[in-house]
Amino acid sequence: MPPSVPPTRPPPDPQIRRAQRTDLLLRAAVIWLLLLATAWVAQPYLSSLWFSVSGPRTVTARGDLAPAETATIELFKRVSPSVVHVFAQSSRRSPSLFEQQQEGGVQSGSGVIWDAAGHVITNNHVIQGATALGARLSTGEFVTARVVGTAPNYDLAVLQLERPRAELRPIAIGSSSDLQVGQSAFAIGSPYGLEQTLTTGIVSALQRRLPTAAAHEVSGVIQTDAAINPGNSGGPLLDSAGRLIGLNTAIISGSGASAGIGFAIPVDSVNRIATALIKTGTVPVPGIGIIAADENEAARLGIDGVVVVRTLPGSPAARAGLTGASETGMVEDVIVGANGQEIHSMSDLAATLERVGIGNEVKLQVIRDGRARTINVEVTDIARLRRS
């Protein structure tokens, strides 16, 4: 009997095999999607469970401060005790109201301790019209103050602190004659009443001119982009050595807040004027005794120079023969030069007279009737001349 042969299976249909593989792939994809969705939903809970810190974090070692940071920190520590917060009350109230910023007619600014005797330098506009004054030292001590003297033409004032208990630290004085655009500048003050605020920047420009409330212009003004806001007035502008190079006094801003354009009265002017105010309570104003036409009026007439409207009786200008406008308004003398420098405005002339100094002579170039002539005029203290 022949051996039996097992029946052979027919080969699977290729279409069935492809369908089975497709089904397996779909199932695997669905499973992976479900796993991914589960992980996505559970991730926040798992992260919170596994990675949450149960106690305080370990402090990461910082390392040394950068040299520039260290220098700025040391500058602030060294200079801030020389800066005070000045309060001026415009009506008679209890002195305790000085403690309340901008309360009951109190305005405030900043100031610098000038000497160990307790003199403080600030802006005249900070204390103008005040009936009571005070200052808060860096120690927190509040001290009443009185006015020693003011110089509205330069927007400067000197105060005297009355019986401070804390030891006073006068600010170090620098020079504004050798400043350079681009060097570092630092401002300390009380912007918006926030005491002992430090801002940094650079000297943005030099030899600016700044009008004051007394219809005078301060020359040689320093421009800086260190943030200066209301309340910084009277505070120091410093160089990188921590020396006073200017007294912050004004900003240019449409909103009244810092826009990176601030101005400081140069320390060389502050030094000279503060010395005079401490000695006599007043500061000499160099002049020759003329009343000049408004610059806009001179420009309207097409005149480039200082138009002499009249001379003060007994003044050096009158003695030198300068002549004011006639009764019919005809221009007589126009000052176009001084000591070889062109004069275009009263500000130019005032700056030259300050450089010449009281008691010395200035050589003026004057145009009259289209002809030029040179005359020597003595520079005098016109503030005294007006009082006499």
Side-chain angles (χ1 to χ4, degrees), residues 1-47:
M1 183 174 180
S4 60
V5 178
T8 58
R9 293 181 181 180
D13 189 341
Q15 293 183 348
I16 295 175
R17 293 171 62 184
R18 285 196 296 270
Q20 289 174 340
R21 285 198 297 270
T22 301
D23 183 59
L24 288 174
L25 289 173
L26 286 173
R27 291 184 180 184
V30 170
I31 291 171
W32 274 109
L33 289 173
L34 290 174
L35 291 174
L36 290 173
T38 301
W40 184 80
V41 172
Q43 185 270 335
Y45 304 101
L46 295 175
S47 295

Short mmCIF file of all heavy atoms in Angstrom, two decimals, residues 1-47:
data_model
loop_
_atom_site.label_atom_id
_atom_site.label_comp_id
_atom_site.label_asym_id
_atom_site.label_seq_id
_atom_site.Cartn_x
_atom_site.Cartn_y
_atom_site.Cartn_z
N MET A 1 0.87 -1.17 0.00
CA MET A 1 0.00 0.00 0.00
C MET A 1 0.91 1.24 0.00
O MET A 1 1.81 1.35 0.81
CB MET A 1 -0.88 0.00 1.25
CG MET A 1 -1.87 1.15 1.28
SD MET A 1 -2.97 0.96 2.67
CE MET A 1 -3.92 2.40 2.41
N PRO A 2 0.74 2.08 -0.91
CA PRO A 2 1.64 3.25 -1.02
C PRO A 2 1.43 4.21 0.17
O PRO A 2 0.35 4.30 0.74
CB PRO A 2 1.21 3.91 -2.33
CG PRO A 2 -0.20 3.47 -2.54
CD PRO A 2 -0.31 2.09 -1.95
N PRO A 3 2.57 4.93 0.59
CA PRO A 3 2.44 5.86 1.73
C PRO A 3 1.54 7.04 1.40
O PRO A 3 1.49 7.49 0.26
CB PRO A 3 3.89 6.33 1.97
CG PRO A 3 4.58 6.10 0.67
CD PRO A 3 3.94 4.91 0.02
N SER A 4 0.85 7.49 2.49
CA SER A 4 -0.09 8.60 2.27
C SER A 4 0.67 9.93 2.23
O SER A 4 1.64 10.14 2.96
CB SER A 4 -1.13 8.66 3.41
OG SER A 4 -0.47 8.85 4.65
N VAL A 5 0.26 10.77 1.43
CA VAL A 5 0.88 12.11 1.28
C VAL A 5 -0.06 13.16 1.87
O VAL A 5 -1.24 13.21 1.50
CB VAL A 5 1.13 12.43 -0.21
CG1 VAL A 5 1.72 13.83 -0.36
CG2 VAL A 5 2.05 11.39 -0.82
N PRO A 6 0.48 13.95 2.87
CA PRO A 6 -0.43 14.95 3.50
C PRO A 6 -0.84 16.00 2.48
O PRO A 6 -0.05 16.37 1.60
CB PRO A 6 0.43 15.57 4.62
CG PRO A 6 1.85 15.30 4.22
CD PRO A 6 1.84 14.00 3.45
N PRO A 7 -2.04 16.43 2.65
CA PRO A 7 -2.53 17.43 1.68
C PRO A 7 -1.79 18.78 1.88
O PRO A 7 -1.47 19.16 3.00
CB PRO A 7 -4.01 17.56 2.02
CG PRO A 7 -4.12 17.15 3.46
CD PRO A 7 -3.07 16.08 3.65
N THR A 8 -1.47 19.42 0.90
CA THR A 8 -0.79 20.75 0.96
C THR A 8 -1.83 21.86 0.98
O THR A 8 -2.86 21.76 0.30
CB THR A 8 0.14 20.93 -0.25
OG1 THR A 8 -0.64 20.82 -1.43
CG2 THR A 8 1.22 19.88 -0.27
N ARG A 9 -1.46 22.91 1.82
CA ARG A 9 -2.37 24.07 1.89
C ARG A 9 -2.13 24.97 0.69
O ARG A 9 -0.99 25.18 0.27
CB ARG A 9 -2.15 24.87 3.15
CG ARG A 9 -2.53 24.11 4.43
CD ARG A 9 -2.30 25.00 5.63
NE ARG A 9 -2.64 24.31 6.87
CZ ARG A 9 -2.52 24.87 8.07
NH1 ARG A 9 -2.05 26.11 8.15
NH2 ARG A 9 -2.84 24.19 9.14
N PRO A 10 -3.16 25.49 0.26
CA PRO A 10 -2.97 26.42 -0.87
C PRO A 10 -2.27 27.70 -0.38
O PRO A 10 -2.44 28.10 0.78
CB PRO A 10 -4.40 26.71 -1.34
CG PRO A 10 -5.26 26.44 -0.14
CD PRO A 10 -4.59 25.32 0.60
N PRO A 11 -1.43 28.31 -1.12
CA PRO A 11 -0.75 29.57 -0.70
C PRO A 11 -1.78 30.66 -0.38
O PRO A 11 -2.82 30.73 -1.03
CB PRO A 11 0.10 29.94 -1.92
CG PRO A 11 -0.53 29.22 -3.07
CD PRO A 11 -1.13 27.98 -2.54
N PRO A 12 -1.47 31.47 0.70
CA PRO A 12 -2.44 32.52 1.08
C PRO A 12 -2.59 33.55 -0.04
O PRO A 12 -1.65 33.81 -0.78
CB PRO A 12 -1.84 33.14 2.34
CG PRO A 12 -0.39 32.81 2.29
CD PRO A 12 -0.28 31.49 1.59
N ASP A 13 -3.76 34.08 -0.03
CA ASP A 13 -4.07 35.10 -1.04
C ASP A 13 -3.25 36.36 -0.73
O ASP A 13 -3.27 36.88 0.40
CB ASP A 13 -5.56 35.42 -1.00
CG ASP A 13 -5.97 36.31 -2.19
OD1 ASP A 13 -5.08 36.95 -2.79
OD2 ASP A 13 -7.17 36.39 -2.47
N PRO A 14 -2.52 36.93 -1.65
CA PRO A 14 -1.72 38.16 -1.39
C PRO A 14 -2.55 39.32 -0.89
O PRO A 14 -2.10 40.12 -0.06
CB PRO A 14 -1.09 38.47 -2.75
CG PRO A 14 -1.04 37.15 -3.44
CD PRO A 14 -2.25 36.38 -3.00
N GLN A 15 -3.76 39.43 -1.35
CA GLN A 15 -4.62 40.53 -0.90
C GLN A 15 -4.97 40.39 0.57
O GLN A 15 -5.03 41.36 1.32
CB GLN A 15 -5.90 40.59 -1.74
CG GLN A 15 -5.65 40.98 -3.20
CD GLN A 15 -6.95 41.08 -3.98
OE1 GLN A 15 -8.01 40.65 -3.49
NE2 GLN A 15 -6.86 41.64 -5.19
N ILE A 16 -5.17 39.12 0.99
CA ILE A 16 -5.49 38.89 2.41
C ILE A 16 -4.30 39.26 3.27
O ILE A 16 -4.43 39.87 4.33
CB ILE A 16 -5.91 37.43 2.63
CG1 ILE A 16 -7.21 37.14 1.89
CG2 ILE A 16 -6.04 37.12 4.12
CD1 ILE A 16 -7.65 35.70 1.95
N ARG A 17 -3.08 38.85 2.78
CA ARG A 17 -1.88 39.17 3.55
C ARG A 17 -1.70 40.69 3.68
O ARG A 17 -1.34 41.20 4.74
CB ARG A 17 -0.66 38.55 2.88
CG ARG A 17 -0.69 37.00 2.94
CD ARG A 17 0.40 36.39 2.08
NE ARG A 17 1.72 36.81 2.59
CZ ARG A 17 2.85 36.49 1.97
NH1 ARG A 17 2.82 35.82 0.82
NH2 ARG A 17 4.01 36.89 2.49
N ARG A 18 -1.92 41.42 2.62
CA ARG A 18 -1.80 42.88 2.70
C ARG A 18 -2.83 43.48 3.65
O ARG A 18 -2.55 44.40 4.41
CB ARG A 18 -1.97 43.49 1.30
CG ARG A 18 -0.74 43.30 0.41
CD ARG A 18 -0.79 44.24 -0.78
NE ARG A 18 -1.94 43.94 -1.64
CZ ARG A 18 -1.88 43.08 -2.65
NH1 ARG A 18 -0.75 42.42 -2.91
NH2 ARG A 18 -2.94 42.86 -3.40
N ALA A 19 -4.03 42.94 3.64
CA ALA A 19 -5.08 43.44 4.53
C ALA A 19 -4.72 43.20 5.98
O ALA A 19 -4.96 44.06 6.86
CB ALA A 19 -6.42 42.80 4.19
N GLN A 20 -4.13 42.00 6.25
CA GLN A 20 -3.75 41.69 7.62
C GLN A 20 -2.64 42.65 8.11
O GLN A 20 -2.67 43.11 9.25
CB GLN A 20 -3.27 40.24 7.70
CG GLN A 20 -4.38 39.23 7.53
CD GLN A 20 -3.87 37.79 7.45
OE1 GLN A 20 -2.69 37.58 7.15
NE2 GLN A 20 -4.74 36.82 7.70
N ARG A 21 -1.64 42.90 7.24
CA ARG A 21 -0.57 43.82 7.64
C ARG A 21 -1.11 45.22 7.88
O ARG A 21 -0.71 45.91 8.83
CB ARG A 21 0.51 43.85 6.55
CG ARG A 21 1.39 42.59 6.54
CD ARG A 21 2.67 42.87 5.76
NE ARG A 21 2.40 43.17 4.38
CZ ARG A 21 2.33 42.27 3.40
NH1 ARG A 21 2.53 40.98 3.68
NH2 ARG A 21 2.09 42.64 2.16
N THR A 22 -2.00 45.66 7.04
CA THR A 22 -2.60 46.99 7.21
C THR A 22 -3.34 47.09 8.52
O THR A 22 -3.27 48.09 9.25
CB THR A 22 -3.53 47.30 6.04
OG1 THR A 22 -2.79 47.25 4.82
CG2 THR A 22 -4.15 48.69 6.18
N ASP A 23 -4.05 46.03 8.85
CA ASP A 23 -4.81 46.02 10.10
C ASP A 23 -3.88 46.11 11.30
O ASP A 23 -4.14 46.82 12.27
CB ASP A 23 -5.66 44.75 10.15
CG ASP A 23 -6.54 44.72 11.39
OD1 ASP A 23 -7.36 45.65 11.56
OD2 ASP A 23 -6.40 43.79 12.20
N LEU A 24 -2.77 45.34 11.24
CA LEU A 24 -1.81 45.37 12.33
C LEU A 24 -1.20 46.77 12.49
O LEU A 24 -1.03 47.28 13.60
CB LEU A 24 -0.71 44.34 12.08
CG LEU A 24 -1.12 42.87 12.25
CD1 LEU A 24 0.02 41.95 11.83
CD2 LEU A 24 -1.51 42.58 13.70
N LEU A 25 -0.86 47.40 11.37
CA LEU A 25 -0.27 48.73 11.43
C LEU A 25 -1.25 49.76 12.00
O LEU A 25 -0.86 50.64 12.79
CB LEU A 25 0.18 49.18 10.03
CG LEU A 25 1.39 48.45 9.46
CD1 LEU A 25 1.62 48.86 8.01
CD2 LEU A 25 2.63 48.75 10.29
N LEU A 26 -2.51 49.63 11.61
CA LEU A 26 -3.51 50.55 12.13
C LEU A 26 -3.66 50.39 13.65
O LEU A 26 -3.77 51.37 14.39
CB LEU A 26 -4.86 50.33 11.44
CG LEU A 26 -4.94 50.85 10.00
CD1 LEU A 26 -6.26 50.43 9.37
CD2 LEU A 26 -4.81 52.38 9.96
N ARG A 27 -3.68 49.10 14.08
CA ARG A 27 -3.81 48.87 15.52
C ARG A 27 -2.60 49.44 16.28
O ARG A 27 -2.76 50.05 17.36
CB ARG A 27 -3.92 47.37 15.79
CG ARG A 27 -5.24 46.77 15.31
CD ARG A 27 -5.33 45.31 15.69
NE ARG A 27 -6.59 44.72 15.23
CZ ARG A 27 -6.97 43.46 15.50
NH1 ARG A 27 -6.17 42.69 16.22
NH2 ARG A 27 -8.10 43.01 15.05
N ALA A 28 -1.41 49.24 15.72
CA ALA A 28 -0.22 49.76 16.38
C ALA A 28 -0.26 51.28 16.44
O ALA A 28 0.11 51.91 17.45
CB ALA A 28 1.03 49.29 15.64
N ALA A 29 -0.69 51.91 15.33
CA ALA A 29 -0.77 53.37 15.30
C ALA A 29 -1.76 53.89 16.33
O ALA A 29 -1.50 54.89 17.02
CB ALA A 29 -1.15 53.85 13.90
N VAL A 30 -2.90 53.23 16.44
CA VAL A 30 -3.90 53.65 17.42
C VAL A 30 -3.36 53.53 18.83
O VAL A 30 -3.55 54.40 19.69
CB VAL A 30 -5.19 52.82 17.24
CG1 VAL A 30 -6.15 53.07 18.40
CG2 VAL A 30 -5.87 53.17 15.92
N ILE A 31 -2.64 52.41 19.08
CA ILE A 31 -2.08 52.21 20.41
C ILE A 31 -1.06 53.31 20.74
O ILE A 31 -1.05 53.87 21.85
CB ILE A 31 -1.43 50.81 20.51
CG1 ILE A 31 -2.53 49.73 20.46
CG2 ILE A 31 -0.60 50.67 21.79
CD1 ILE A 31 -2.00 48.32 20.34
N TRP A 32 -0.19 53.62 19.75
CA TRP A 32 0.80 54.67 19.97
C TRP A 32 0.14 56.03 20.21
O TRP A 32 0.57 56.80 21.07
CB TRP A 32 1.75 54.77 18.78
CG TRP A 32 2.91 53.81 18.88
CD1 TRP A 32 3.14 52.70 18.16
CD2 TRP A 32 3.99 53.93 19.81
NE1 TRP A 32 4.28 52.07 18.54
CE2 TRP A 32 4.85 52.82 19.57
CE3 TRP A 32 4.33 54.83 20.80
CZ2 TRP A 32 6.00 52.59 20.30
CZ3 TRP A 32 5.49 54.61 21.54
CH2 TRP A 32 6.31 53.50 21.29
N LEU A 33 -0.90 56.31 19.44
CA LEU A 33 -1.62 57.56 19.64
C LEU A 33 -2.23 57.65 21.02
O LEU A 33 -2.20 58.70 21.68
CB LEU A 33 -2.69 57.75 18.56
CG LEU A 33 -2.18 58.05 17.15
CD1 LEU A 33 -3.33 58.04 16.16
CD2 LEU A 33 -1.48 59.41 17.13
N LEU A 34 -2.80 56.52 21.47
CA LEU A 34 -3.39 56.49 22.81
C LEU A 34 -2.32 56.70 23.88
O LEU A 34 -2.53 57.42 24.86
CB LEU A 34 -4.13 55.17 23.04
CG LEU A 34 -5.43 54.99 22.24
CD1 LEU A 34 -5.98 53.59 22.43
CD2 LEU A 34 -6.47 56.02 22.68
N LEU A 35 -1.16 56.05 23.67
CA LEU A 35 -0.06 56.22 24.63
C LEU A 35 0.44 57.66 24.66
O LEU A 35 0.69 58.23 25.72
CB LEU A 35 1.09 55.27 24.28
CG LEU A 35 0.81 53.77 24.50
CD1 LEU A 35 1.98 52.94 23.98
CD2 LEU A 35 0.61 53.49 26.00
N LEU A 36 0.59 58.27 23.45
CA LEU A 36 1.04 59.65 23.38
C LEU A 36 0.04 60.60 24.03
O LEU A 36 0.41 61.54 24.75
CB LEU A 36 1.29 60.07 21.93
CG LEU A 36 2.50 59.43 21.26
CD1 LEU A 36 2.54 59.80 19.78
CD2 LEU A 36 3.79 59.89 21.94
N ALA A 37 -1.25 60.38 23.76
CA ALA A 37 -2.28 61.23 24.37
C ALA A 37 -2.27 61.10 25.88
O ALA A 37 -2.41 62.09 26.62
CB ALA A 37 -3.65 60.87 23.80
N THR A 38 -2.08 59.87 26.35
CA THR A 38 -2.03 59.65 27.80
C THR A 38 -0.84 60.36 28.42
O THR A 38 -0.95 61.00 29.47
CB THR A 38 -1.96 58.14 28.09
OG1 THR A 38 -3.10 57.48 27.52
CG2 THR A 38 -1.93 57.88 29.59
N ALA A 39 0.31 60.25 27.73
CA ALA A 39 1.52 60.91 28.25
C ALA A 39 1.35 62.43 28.24
O ALA A 39 1.80 63.12 29.17
CB ALA A 39 2.73 60.51 27.41
N TRP A 40 0.73 62.96 27.20
CA TRP A 40 0.54 64.42 27.12
C TRP A 40 -0.36 64.92 28.24
O TRP A 40 -0.10 65.95 28.85
CB TRP A 40 -0.08 64.76 25.76
CG TRP A 40 -0.23 66.25 25.55
CD1 TRP A 40 0.72 67.12 25.19
CD2 TRP A 40 -1.43 67.02 25.71
NE1 TRP A 40 0.23 68.39 25.11
CE2 TRP A 40 -1.11 68.35 25.43
CE3 TRP A 40 -2.74 66.68 26.06
CZ2 TRP A 40 -2.06 69.36 25.48
CZ3 TRP A 40 -3.69 67.69 26.13
CH2 TRP A 40 -3.34 69.01 25.84
N VAL A 41 -1.43 64.17 28.51
CA VAL A 41 -2.34 64.57 29.58
C VAL A 41 -1.68 64.42 30.95
O VAL A 41 -1.83 65.26 31.85
CB VAL A 41 -3.64 63.74 29.52
CG1 VAL A 41 -4.52 63.99 30.74
CG2 VAL A 41 -4.41 64.04 28.25
N ALA A 42 -0.88 63.38 31.10
CA ALA A 42 -0.29 63.10 32.42
C ALA A 42 0.99 63.89 32.68
O ALA A 42 1.43 63.94 33.82
CB ALA A 42 0.01 61.60 32.53
N GLN A 43 1.56 64.49 31.61
CA GLN A 43 2.87 65.12 31.76
C GLN A 43 2.92 66.17 32.87
O GLN A 43 3.85 66.16 33.69
CB GLN A 43 3.31 65.73 30.42
CG GLN A 43 4.71 66.32 30.42
CD GLN A 43 4.72 67.79 30.81
OE1 GLN A 43 3.70 68.45 30.63
NE2 GLN A 43 5.82 68.26 31.36
N PRO A 44 1.98 67.15 32.96
CA PRO A 44 2.07 68.14 34.04
C PRO A 44 2.06 67.50 35.43
O PRO A 44 2.79 67.94 36.33
CB PRO A 44 0.84 69.03 33.82
CG PRO A 44 0.50 68.85 32.38
CD PRO A 44 0.84 67.44 32.07
N TYR A 45 1.25 66.46 35.59
CA TYR A 45 1.15 65.80 36.90
C TYR A 45 2.42 65.03 37.22
O TYR A 45 2.92 65.07 38.35
CB TYR A 45 -0.07 64.87 36.92
CG TYR A 45 -1.36 65.58 36.59
CD1 TYR A 45 -1.91 65.49 35.32
CD2 TYR A 45 -2.02 66.35 37.55
CE1 TYR A 45 -3.09 66.14 34.99
CE2 TYR A 45 -3.20 67.01 37.24
CZ TYR A 45 -3.73 66.90 35.96
OH TYR A 45 -4.89 67.55 35.64
N LEU A 46 2.95 64.36 36.21
CA LEU A 46 4.18 63.62 36.43
C LEU A 46 5.35 64.56 36.69
O LEU A 46 6.19 64.29 37.57
CB LEU A 46 4.48 62.74 35.20
CG LEU A 46 3.47 61.62 34.93
CD1 LEU A 46 3.82 60.89 33.64
CD2 LEU A 46 3.42 60.64 36.09
N SER A 47 5.42 65.70 35.93
CA SER A 47 6.50 66.66 36.16
C SER A 47 6.42 67.24 37.56
O SER A 47 7.43 67.42 38.25
CB SER A 47 6.44 67.79 35.12
OG SER A 47 6.68 67.29 33.83
#
